[in-house]
Amino acid sequence: MESLFRTELCQNLGIDYPVFQGGMAWVATGELAGAVSAAGGLGIIGAGNASAGVVAEEIDKIKTITDKPFGVNVMLLSPFVEEIVDLVTREEVPVITTGAGNPGKYISRFKEAGCQVVPVVSSVALARRMARLDISGVIAEGGEAGGHVGRLNTMAMIPQIVDAVDVPVIAAGGIADGRGLLAAITLGAQGVQLGTRFVCCEECTASQEYKEAIIKAKDRSTVVTGRSTGHPVRVLKNIFTRELEKMEARGCDPEEIEEFGEDKLRQAVCEGKVNEGSVMAGQIAGLIEEVLPAGEIIENMIREARQILESQCQQQGAERDGK
Ligand code: TUI
């Protein structure tokens, strides 16, 4: 097993590689998360807006796939957040990541249940606030990411958060291969989280159309919509986003815009409606060219990062020896 990228974070969480799979609503099922955890990364079930009953089934599923550690992402804007917190503490889920809010009021319950907590943050101020709590790290997610995003980008944010807090930082947003992993480590991160890359994996249960839309995407295929609602979301451009842009341009009521967006992610992920649905994806979509097994995505990343490091070391050695 590769030990080069075995950071302290890996030891603390009991994983082989410092690679998290983002807990994407509707996409990150027990099947996908199970494949990632089985391959030595951290698979994360996305609770999204699902009820506890639905998430419980995904937890049962992952337990049939692997005995390795896994996570559940608790989306704090969910109407079911209280029952999801009850579920994950009852099930003693090894790792809880949180998104779209401050998990402060739930931390003591997570810790009492033996869950490690890794909140997603999108600024230094938020990272500092979280680092005062009993957490195992922060996922610093840049605006290149898909879904609900903050304003800062990964490259500028990671070193600032690394300097500001004493907990391990996991970089997210704009990472899909070994170059991204190595860049994140260079900026001081101890790990990475990938969302869009893992949508295009064999074990991912999202519709074929969703995967193909990401594979077809280019560098400028995504757009951030919903700034006027206070919930900016990065998605692939399509009929749905053009309609949203028109609504925002004519100053539509934010509530009406939110209502228009309802159920659109499920339609894209589960029904393959990639023209009229919300196809959440990050800017790195343009780099993704094929569907691969989760294990290969992780192995390729680690191998590529190691090869870059080795060739840089060789080059330096040659220069030192005056060749
Ligand atoms: O949460 C995500 N990505 C998501 S959530 C989602 S579902 C959704 N759909 C429509 C509207 C809203 C949500 C789709 N994609 N990423 C993690 C993330 N968390 N990004 C930004 C944040 C965040 C934002 C504010 C974390 C904490 C926070 O705290 C605010 C405060 O001051 O407490």
Side-chain angles (χ1 to χ4, degrees):
M1 195 186 307
E2 186 90 40
S3 63
L4 181 59
F5 297 104
R6 238 172 178 235
T7 57
E8 207 182 310
L9 176 77
C10 293
Q11 318 240 326
N12 292 346
L13 300 183
I15 56 179
D16 299 328
Y17 305 114
V19 179
F20 290 19
Q21 158 255 312
M24 302 162 280
W26 294 107
V27 172
T29 58
E31 199 138 351
L32 172 59
V36 173
S37 282
L42 186 73
I44 300 175
I45 293 167
N49 280 322
S51 68
V54 170
V55 179
E57 281 178 27
E58 301 305 322
I59 294 175
D60 289 344
K61 176 91 204 214
I62 200 169
K63 287 179 176 171
T64 68
I65 298 172
T66 182
D67 293 329
K68 292 189 176 177
F70 67 94
V72 170
N73 176 263
V74 179
M75 212 282 279
L76 294 164
L77 290 172
S78 164
F80 299 110
V81 62
E82 295 295 335
E83 62 178 69
I84 296 290
V85 171
D86 287 344
L87 170 71
V88 297
T89 49
R90 203 168 53 237
E91 290 283 329
E92 301 176 7
V93 170
V95 182
I96 304 299
T97 66
T98 62
N102 187 337
K105 67 174 182 179
Y106 302 115
I107 299 269
S108 59
R109 287 175 60 198
F110 290 143
K111 295 308 294 185
E112 276 160 26
C115 314
Q116 300 207 57
V117 187
V118 189
V120 175
V121 299
S122 51
S123 70
V124 170
L126 208 46
R128 278 194 212 277
R129 225 183 301 151
M130 300 295 175
R132 286 193 220 116
L133 308 169
D134 188 358
I135 58 170
S136 300
V138 291
I139 301 167
E141 186 183 86
E144 300 95 320
H148 180 50
V149 288
R151 286 187 173 273
L152 292 170
N153 284 350
T154 305
M155 179 77 115
M157 182 173 60
I158 299 301
Q160 297 188 62
I161 291 186
V162 165
D163 285 354
V165 300
D166 283 333
V167 296
V169 175
I170 296 98
I175 303 169
D177 65 9
R179 294 171 293 183
L181 167 64
L182 195 55
I185 299 272
T186 305
L187 294 174
Q190 285 204 20
V192 291
Q193 174 168 285
L194 280 57
T196 311
R197 176 60 272 196
F198 282 119
V199 176
C200 293
C201 96
E202 274 176 16
E203 298 88 344
C204 174
T205 48
S207 63
Q208 195 56 35
E209 291 89 343
Y210 202 104
K211 296 180 186 183
E212 278 165 15
I214 289 173
I215 286 170
K216 261 200 256 157
K218 301 193 178 72
D219 55 347
R220 302 207 308 152
S221 295
T222 71
V223 66
V224 174
T225 60
R227 289 220 187 268
S228 66
T229 68
H231 294 144
V233 171
R234 183 177 297 284
V235 288
L236 293 184
K237 290 178 196 167
N238 60 6
I239 294 170
F240 166 68
T241 64
R242 281 192 285 280
E243 208 49 54
L244 270 182
E245 274 167 354
K246 275 191 230 157
M247 290 173 84
E248 291 200 276
R250 63 170 190 264
C252 240
D253 184 21
E255 239 171 72
E256 204 182 317
I257 295 175
E258 292 259 318
E259 220 168 274
F260 180 68
E262 253 170 47
D263 199 46
K264 293 289 198 288
L265 175 63
R266 189 196 61 79
Q267 289 174 19
V269 175
C270 304
E271 295 174 4
K273 290 191 181 161
V274 291
N275 297 314
E276 301 83 13
S278 171
V279 188
M280 294 187 185
Q283 288 182 332
I284 205 69
L287 195 74
I288 296 164
E289 291 183 331
E290 57 183 341
V291 172
L292 291 171
E296 258 180 61
I297 292 173
I298 296 175
E299 278 166 30
N300 291 350
M301 268 185 96
I302 301 289
R303 185 183 343 98
E304 187 183 19
R306 175 169 41 75
Q307 282 171 349
I308 297 168
L309 260 186
E310 281 173 359
S311 77
Q312 283 177 349
C313 288
Q314 272 171 8
Q315 225 172 322
Q316 273 196 345
E319 278 168 25
R320 199 183 42 231
D321 298 341
K323 285 180 191 150

